[in-house]
Amino acid sequence: MQRITLIILLCAAIGVHSQTITKEGVLFQIKKTKPVDKQGLFRFSQVKITNNEFSKVLIKVKIKAKPENKAKLSALSLLDTKNKIRYRLSDFVGYACPVGCLAYSPAYRKSEIMDKKGKPITYGPPIDKSVKDYFYDYDMDGFSNLEIPINFGKKDNPKLSIVYFGEASSKNLIGELYFGIPTKNLKSAYELYYKDEKVADIRF
């Protein structure tokens, strides 16, 4: 019995630390996967999920790429292979070194948001159409896209926009990827994709 348990634990450890190098030479190594507190802040993640039907999940991953071909974070997606849903990355925090070195990847809004005076808001992520959003370039046949808009207003006066992320700000970093998924699907089978390539099987 002890031997069987050891084998099971060893297999689980190998799965969590799986490593993939894409055809473009970007390395992804999965460090940790787990649900996190959807209401409050977790480390430096700024996205709160207030809908009780959704949960917030974390995929911690090492990302290594060539300086001339840094990882395009908007090309990352999480696939629920049982329910045929493809999720957009909701939030990202990058670390250029193990402790104390934050390397946030720039976030961008897809929609213009106006204040009470009818002027564009000056807070939150900017709009920069020169920064490409890759998410729609890699739609999967048979999968529906699910994107959670961020509310930049108040609960009784929502101002919504989809947010996407640019390139990883360091050629070699630890990234925390956050997704919002339906709580009822938390134990489904998931796969992390970069562009059109599978990076790893994911379990929460």
Side-chain angles (χ1 to χ4, degrees):
M1 181 63 70
Q2 289 180 344
R3 185 178 180 182
I4 295 174
T5 302
L6 178 61
I7 293 172
I8 292 172
L9 291 175
L10 180 60
C11 291
I14 293 172
V16 171
H17 292 84
S18 64
Q19 178 173 299
T20 297
I21 299 177
T22 71
K23 58 190 175 185
E24 295 180 354
V26 181
L27 179 145
F28 294 93
Q29 185 179 33
I30 306 300
K31 298 290 188 181
K32 181 189 298 184
T33 64
K34 68 174 186 177
V36 295
D37 183 2
K38 65 181 180 179
Q39 298 290 345
L41 299 181
F42 179 76
R43 297 190 67 153
F44 294 95
S45 172
Q46 297 298 305
V47 174
K48 299 179 183 179
I49 296 179
T50 57
N51 187 328
N52 291 330
E53 295 182 0
F54 281 78
S55 291
K56 183 177 178 180
V57 295
L58 162 68
I59 302 173
K60 190 172 184 178
V61 60
K62 179 179 179 180
I63 304 173
K64 186 175 182 180
K66 297 177 181 178
E68 66 274 15
N69 187 29
K70 295 178 181 178
K72 281 66 174 175
L73 298 171
S74 62
L76 285 162
S77 60
L78 183 67
L79 272 62
D80 180 340
T81 59
K82 289 184 178 180
N83 297 291
K84 302 299 181 182
I85 304 172
R86 177 173 175 259
Y87 297 94
R88 177 192 281 277
L89 182 65
S90 296
D91 200 7
F92 172 83
V93 181
Y95 302 87
C97 59
V99 179
C101 298
L102 293 182
Y104 286 96
S105 176
Y108 301 93
R109 278 185 291 117
K110 293 187 71 70
S111 304
E112 190 68 271
I113 296 176
M114 302 298 178
D115 61 20
K116 293 180 179 179
K117 297 181 179 180
K119 296 181 179 181
I121 62 172
T122 57
Y123 57 87
I127 291 179
D128 187 345
K129 294 184 179 179
S130 69
V131 179
K132 181 175 174 58
D133 176 14
Y134 289 86
F135 183 72
Y136 305 121
D137 289 2
Y138 299 97
D139 289 343
M140 298 286 182
D141 289 341
F143 284 78
S144 58
N145 290 333
L146 195 154
E147 309 169 73
I148 299 178
I150 305 301
N151 184 8
F152 294 93
K154 298 180 180 179
K155 186 175 181 180
D156 57 351
N157 184 26
K159 297 180 182 296
L160 304 178
S161 177
I162 296 297
V163 170
Y164 69 99
F165 296 86
E167 291 186 341
S169 55
S170 173
K171 66 179 181 180
N172 187 5
L173 56 76
I174 298 296
E176 293 183 353
L177 315 178
Y178 295 91
F179 295 88
I181 64 176
T183 303
K184 66 180 181 179
N185 296 341
L186 195 59
K187 298 303 180 182
S188 188
Y190 291 92
E191 296 176 352
L192 182 66
Y193 263 72
Y194 180 67
K195 297 188 175 181
D196 58 354
E197 294 184 73
K198 179 181 174 180
V199 172
D201 293 311
I202 302 293
R203 297 288 187 274
F204 299 110

